[in-house]
């Protein structure tokens, strides 16, 4: 098992077959490469010490919430989407400095955690439409809203997992309710129309956002799993 100076699960939420968690670690980790599979070792050897720590923290959090009998490889498919080898589940991970988040579900999902910074405001026109910008600018805390919208769109992008989406042109966020911490997301791209439930928590230091794709309903009214 990976050994961190400290690794704490700050929150863990279960929604049906979905589990999502937020964690925080501090200090440099200690590890032995025998704890990892060869493909994972190849991935982390390409990372800087800071990025390696973040990568390992998010995967450690994922394994803690996955409920698997043993640790399995966390790899990437050809489009860069992470998956657990031999496990028929959707996963998503995120990390930002000492914060990490992880998610596992029977359905396509995405999670994002971001430490607040002015970067979101500076690049807002890359991921927000004019309508999004108007909503964010008129909010009572634009910095938090920049990260909420950025994180929500990042989550949908991760859940879709096939690239080529434009954050401004193809990913849409609506029905944001700051009291309930919920919203709706849509992907509209080349005849594809997917809908997602969005959940979020705006903490003093970070925005934590996650989404789950709506499960289609067939003509008999039974849910297609």
């Amino acid at each position: 098992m990976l050994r961190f100076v400290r690794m704490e699960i700050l929150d863990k939420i279960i929604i049906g077959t979905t589990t999502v968690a937020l964690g925080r670690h501090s200090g440099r980790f200690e590890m032995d490469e025998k704890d990892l599979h060869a493909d994972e070792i190849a991935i982390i050897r390409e990372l800087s010490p800071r990025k390696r720590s973040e990568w390992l923290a998010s995967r450690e959090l994922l394994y803690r919430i996955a409920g698997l009998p043993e640790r399995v490889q966390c790899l990437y498919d050809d489009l860069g989407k992470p998956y657990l080898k031999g496990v028929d589940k959707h996963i998503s991970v995120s990390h930002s400095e000492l914060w990490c988040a992880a998610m596992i579900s029977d359905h396509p999902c995405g999670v994002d955690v971001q430490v607040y910074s002015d970067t979101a405001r500076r690049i807002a026109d890359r991921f927000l439409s004019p309508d999004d910008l108007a909503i964010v600018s008129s909010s009572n805390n634009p910095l938090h809203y920049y990260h909420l919208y950025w994180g929500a769109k990042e989550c949908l992008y991760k859940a879709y997992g096939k690239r080529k989406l434009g954050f401004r042109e193809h990913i849409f966020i609506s029905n944001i309710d700051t009291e309930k911490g919920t919203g709706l997301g849509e992907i509209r791209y080349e005849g594809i129309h997917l809908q997602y439930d969005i959940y979020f928590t705006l903490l003093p230091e970070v925005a934590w956002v996650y989404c789950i794709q709506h499960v289609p309903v067939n003509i008999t009214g039974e849910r297609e799993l």
Side-chain angles (χ1 to χ4, degrees), residues 28-219:
R28 291 296 179 193
F29 60 89
E30 297 177 4
M31 61 165 289
D32 190 322
E33 288 189 350
K34 68 180 178 60
D35 295 323
L36 299 171
H37 295 273
D39 291 333
E40 294 174 310
I41 293 171
I43 291 170
I44 66 170
R45 282 181 174 174
E46 300 297 319
L47 303 176
S48 67
R50 180 177 67 85
K51 288 295 184 182
R52 188 180 305 133
S53 178
E54 293 176 358
W55 192 97
L56 288 165
S58 61
R59 272 63 181 181
E60 173 71 3
L61 180 60
L62 174 64
Y63 294 126
R64 289 195 189 184
I65 67 172
L68 300 175
E70 59 182 1
R71 194 179 188 284
V72 298
Q73 291 173 269
C74 184
L75 304 174
Y76 299 100
D77 66 17
D78 292 339
L79 296 176
K81 187 173 184 177
Y83 68 95
L84 293 176
K85 187 174 182 179
V87 178
D88 188 22
K89 294 276 189 179
H90 297 271
I91 65 167
S92 184
V93 292
S94 181
H95 45 76
S96 181
E97 298 182 8
L98 297 179
W99 297 80
C100 57
M103 192 170 190
I104 186 166
S105 177
D106 286 351
H107 309 295
C109 60
V111 66
D112 192 67
V113 61
Q114 294 182 21
V115 173
Y116 301 123
S117 75
D118 194 52
T119 300
R121 181 194 60 79
R122 289 190 288 102
I123 67 169
D125 59 352
R126 300 183 191 177
F127 63 89
L128 295 182
S129 68
D131 288 344
D132 295 332
L133 284 168
I135 293 171
V136 170
S137 298
S138 63
S139 70
N140 59 0
N141 193 328
L143 181 63
H144 285 195
Y145 263 67
Y146 280 126
H147 287 83
L148 168 56
Y149 272 71
W150 188 5
K153 292 195 176 196
E154 185 74 30
C155 288
L156 267 66
Y157 186 91
K158 290 179 176 181
Y160 181 65
K162 297 177 183 177
R163 296 181 181 172
K164 295 185 179 180
L165 294 179
F167 277 39
R168 287 163 47 98
E169 303 85 4
H170 306 128
I171 303 177
F172 304 91
I173 308 301
S174 62
N175 293 66
I176 292 296
D177 187 327
T178 54
E179 291 187 5
K180 295 181 179 178
T182 59
L184 298 177
E186 291 182 87
I187 290 176
R188 298 198 292 268
Y189 173 68
E190 294 187 349
I192 296 170
H193 184 200
L194 301 173
Q195 296 179 310
Y196 300 81
D197 292 314
I198 295 171
Y199 306 88
F200 62 89
T201 302
L202 301 177
L203 296 168
E205 295 180 62
V206 298
W208 177 33
V209 191
Y210 49 98
C211 75
I212 307 170
Q213 184 177 325
H214 283 178
V215 180
V217 178
N218 63 26
I219 58 173

